[in-house]
């Protein structure tokens, strides 16, 4: 039987059908790509239009909306793959990529959130407090779950992640008051008693309470002094620091005393007379004078008194238990009244210690 000749009209149709069979499975994918591009464009246009009146964060919103539209388009492309393609594998790969990206980025997010909860629970500072962390000094303007915002002395807003607030030491200016200090270097030819009077006068002029003076260092050519005092209202911390330095300059200038800069070098002949300070009598101290340690370490002192009171309470309870045990074991009448009186005195002592402990705890909490 002979071979049937091919129809010249059917051959092109078969070729077109073969091409169509190859292209048709990919048409939904191509349509999905076009729709995704249109979706991204429409989303960006809508976001820009809605944020036209408030362009402050429009870029961020556009980026987020674009990322969401692209993610939706990628998922749609996976579902639009031809039947022969492994769409489940592609979807799994995209899921792994997205999950990995979220896992990597969520480490800092979770760390900041946990740090924010820790800062809230500890409560070492609150909005309005002066703090210094990682070289940044300012007042807390916002305490959020993920970040802490402070306003610097230049009125700038500084955003710090909460993880930094936990990992770095935070210096908190107490709302009950703080110590303001300044250093000055004076030559050895000036009596320290005269300087103490001038420095105390400068501290009072700056509005500080109970100013005190400390000798910080005996240098090669000058003596370094620290002038400090208590500031009741820490809201004026920045201004008071400047006022204290200005008052020191004014007091020393009026007394004719020169401040020795770090670059000052004193030279004299070997056989010359020694440079000694002018002898000035130390001021007489009458009555009790509160020391610098009493003001500087007041909270630590209060904590120490609380601990010592707790130890005294524990010892008093132990003694009371022993007296009560001895009283219960007494057979005769001779020792009974004496032990009963001792038990009564011990109970009164415990009552006084508990009242003292409550007062100290209240003061410690108020600080």
């Amino acid at each position: 039987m002979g071979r049937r000749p091919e129809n010249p009209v059917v051959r092109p149709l078969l070729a077109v059908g073969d091409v169509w069979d190859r292209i048709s499975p990919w048409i939904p994918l191509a349509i999905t790509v076009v729709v995704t591009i249109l979706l991204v464009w429409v989303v960006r246009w809508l976001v820009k239009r809605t944020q036209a009146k408030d362009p402050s964060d429009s870029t961020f919103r556009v980026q987020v909306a674009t990322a969401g539209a692209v993610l939706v388009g990628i998922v749609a492309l996976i579902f639009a793959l031809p039947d022969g393609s492994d769409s489940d594998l592609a979807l799994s790969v995209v899921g792994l990529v997205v999950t990995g990206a979220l896992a990597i980025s969520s480490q800092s997010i979770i760390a900041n959130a946990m740090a924010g909860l820790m800062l809230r629970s500890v409560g070492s500072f609150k909005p309005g407090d002066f703090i210094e962390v990682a070289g940044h000094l300012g007042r807390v303007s916002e305490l959020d779950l993920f970040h802490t915002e402070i306003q610097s002395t230049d009125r700038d807003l500084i955003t710090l992640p909460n993880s930094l607030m936990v990992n770095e030491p935070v210096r908190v200016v107490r709302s009950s008051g703080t110590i303001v200090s300044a250093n000055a270097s004076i030559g050895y030819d000036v009596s320290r008693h005269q300087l103490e009077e001038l420095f105390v006068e400068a501290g009072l002029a700056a509005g500080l309470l109970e100013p005190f003076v400390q000798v910080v260092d005996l240098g090669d050519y000058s003596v370094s002094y620290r002038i400090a005092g208590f500031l009741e209202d820490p809201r004026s911390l920045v201004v008071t620091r400047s006022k204290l330095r200005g008052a020191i300059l004014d007091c020393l200038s009026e007394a004719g005393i020169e401040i020795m800069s770090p670059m000052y070098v004193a030279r004299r002949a070997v056989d010359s007379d020694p440079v000694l300070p002018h002898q000035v009598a130390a001021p007489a101290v009458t009555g009790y004078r509160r020391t610098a340690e009493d003001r500087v370490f007041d909270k630590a002192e209060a904590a120490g008194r609380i601990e010592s009171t707790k130890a005294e309470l524990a010892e008093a309870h132990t003694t009371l238990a022993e007296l009560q045990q001895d009283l219960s074991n007494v057979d005769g009448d001779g020792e009974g009244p004496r032990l009963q009186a001792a038990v009564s005195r011990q109970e009164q002592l415990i009552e006084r210690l508990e009242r003292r402990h409550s007062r100290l705890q209240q003061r410690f909490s108020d600080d």
Side-chain angles (χ1 to χ4, degrees):
M1 186 175 180
R3 184 179 179 182
R4 187 176 180 180
E6 295 182 0
N7 192 339
V9 178
V10 176
R11 183 182 300 173
L13 294 177
L14 292 175
V16 171
D18 185 51
V19 172
W20 174 255
D21 291 339
R22 295 182 179 182
I23 295 177
S24 59
W26 297 94
I27 291 179
L29 184 63
I31 295 174
T32 304
V33 171
V34 175
V35 171
T36 301
I37 295 174
L38 291 176
L39 177 65
V40 171
W41 183 83
V42 170
V43 167
R44 290 174 62 89
W45 179 77
L46 287 175
V47 173
K48 289 181 179 179
R49 184 176 180 180
T50 56
Q51 297 295 319
K53 296 182 180 180
D54 185 17
S56 58
D57 59 346
S58 61
T59 302
F60 173 74
R61 293 179 180 271
V62 168
Q63 292 173 346
V64 172
T66 303
V70 170
L71 183 60
V72 172
I74 291 175
V75 175
L77 289 174
I78 293 175
F79 285 106
L81 289 174
D83 295 336
S85 303
D86 196 346
S87 59
D88 293 337
L89 179 61
L91 187 61
S92 299
V93 171
V94 172
L96 288 175
V97 172
V98 173
T99 303
L102 291 177
I104 294 174
S105 61
S106 64
Q107 290 181 359
S108 59
I109 295 175
I110 294 175
N112 286 322
M114 296 301 293
L117 294 175
M118 176 181 172
L119 292 175
R120 288 280 186 175
S121 62
V122 173
S124 57
F125 58 87
K126 60 185 181 299
D129 288 345
F130 264 105
I131 66 171
E132 184 176 4
V133 55
H136 302 288
L137 173 65
R139 296 183 67 181
V140 179
S141 57
E142 184 177 347
L143 187 58
D144 206 348
L145 179 63
F146 300 102
H147 74 278
T148 299
E149 183 184 80
I150 64 174
Q151 189 168 21
S152 68
T153 55
D154 296 325
R155 200 175 176 271
D156 299 330
L157 297 177
I158 303 174
T159 301
L160 302 172
N162 285 335
S163 58
L164 176 68
M165 308 294 292
V166 173
N167 295 326
E168 292 287 336
V170 180
R171 176 174 173 265
V172 182
V173 177
R174 298 168 60 185
S175 58
S176 58
T178 185
I179 298 295
V180 178
S181 64
N183 290 0
S185 298
I186 310 296
Y188 280 93
D189 57 336
V190 183
S191 171
R192 67 179 182 89
H193 301 301
Q194 179 186 3
L195 289 173
E196 286 180 359
E197 294 180 359
L198 294 174
F199 288 149
V200 168
E201 180 183 349
L204 294 174
L208 300 179
L209 301 178
E210 301 177 3
F212 56 91
V213 181
Q214 296 173 324
V215 179
V216 178
D217 184 35
L218 301 177
D220 293 336
Y221 310 107
S222 61
V223 181
S224 296
Y225 296 90
R226 178 175 180 258
I227 306 94
F230 183 73
L231 176 65
E232 286 186 317
D233 187 6
R235 291 177 298 179
S236 59
L237 175 64
V238 177
V239 175
T240 305
R241 284 178 174 176
S242 177
K243 289 174 62 177
L244 177 60
R245 290 170 174 82
I248 293 173
L249 285 174
D250 295 339
C251 291
L252 294 179
S253 178
E254 292 176 1
I257 298 174
E258 178 187 10
I259 296 180
M260 312 289 282
S261 69
M263 299 301 296
Y264 181 89
V265 178
R267 297 180 182 274
R268 62 187 179 90
V270 176
D271 56 351
S272 61
D273 296 331
V275 178
L276 299 175
H278 302 294
Q279 296 299 321
V280 176
V285 179
T286 58
Y288 171 74
R289 183 177 180 181
R290 191 174 186 180
T291 63
E293 286 78 6
D294 294 336
R295 176 64 78 178
V296 174
F297 301 111
D298 55 345
K299 188 170 185 179
E301 287 289 337
R305 288 195 296 269
I306 290 174
E307 290 300 319
S308 62
T309 304
K310 288 169 62 177
E312 291 179 18
L313 263 174
E315 184 179 356
H317 280 292
T318 302
T319 304
L320 178 62
E322 293 175 354
L323 290 174
Q324 290 175 343
Q325 182 67 26
D326 294 340
L327 181 61
S328 63
N329 295 331
V330 171
D331 296 332
D333 297 335
E335 290 292 327
R338 185 183 65 80
L339 290 176
Q340 186 63 44
V343 168
S344 179
R345 289 194 300 269
Q346 198 67 19
E347 289 176 346
Q348 293 176 2
L349 174 62
I350 291 175
E351 186 178 352
R352 290 196 300 270
L353 290 175
E354 287 178 347
R355 288 199 299 266
R356 185 200 303 174
H357 183 265
S358 299
R359 289 196 302 269
L360 291 173
Q361 282 281 60
Q362 183 64 36
R363 294 175 184 174
F364 189 82
S365 301
D366 293 340
D367 288 340

